Amino acid sequence: ETVGSSMADAITIKLPLETITQQLVNDLDELCLKFKGQQKLRVQFIDRHHRQTLTLAAKARRVEVGNDFIQGLERIGITYKLN
């Protein structure tokens, strides 16, 4: 058990709309499949042009919020917040 997994109930990843590509979606999907766990996964879509956000919870996907998962997010350029 890692520090992140013991302290966090969920993780919210933040995705500005202009950064979403098929490659980013594929990389994120692979990362989530690799680190299945008990923490809830939330996705916050950010529309900077209209200054709006939309946060959705992934119903069928939970992740293990550990150092390797966090490093994977950072490697593909995704910002996050531990909840």
Side-chain angles (χ1 to χ4, degrees):
E1 189 171 314
T2 64
V3 172
S5 65
S6 65
M7 295 179 65
D9 178 51
I11 186 167
T12 302
I13 59 172
K14 300 178 180 193
L15 297 175
L17 294 180
E18 65 272 9
T19 66
I20 300 173
T21 63
Q22 188 62 51
Q23 184 64 49
L24 180 71
V25 172
N26 291 344
D27 291 346
L28 181 58
D29 191 45
E30 286 179 23
L31 190 64
C32 290
L33 288 173
K34 184 177 180 181
F35 294 100
K36 289 182 181 181
Q38 296 302 311
Q39 280 82 25
K40 297 173 189 169
L41 176 64
R42 297 184 182 115
V43 181
Q44 182 179 60
F45 297 99
I46 303 166
D47 183 346
R48 292 183 178 148
H49 179 71
H50 293 105
R51 296 182 181 173
Q52 296 178 333
T53 62
L54 173 65
T55 304
L56 302 172
K59 297 288 184 188
R61 183 88 28 115
R62 290 182 177 249
V63 294
E64 176 69 34
V65 181
N67 293 333
D68 292 336
F69 181 75
I70 297 297
Q71 287 174 356
L73 289 177
E74 292 171 347
R75 189 171 33 256
I76 58 178
I78 294 178
T79 58
Y80 62 91
K81 176 183 173 186
L82 295 176
N83 307 102

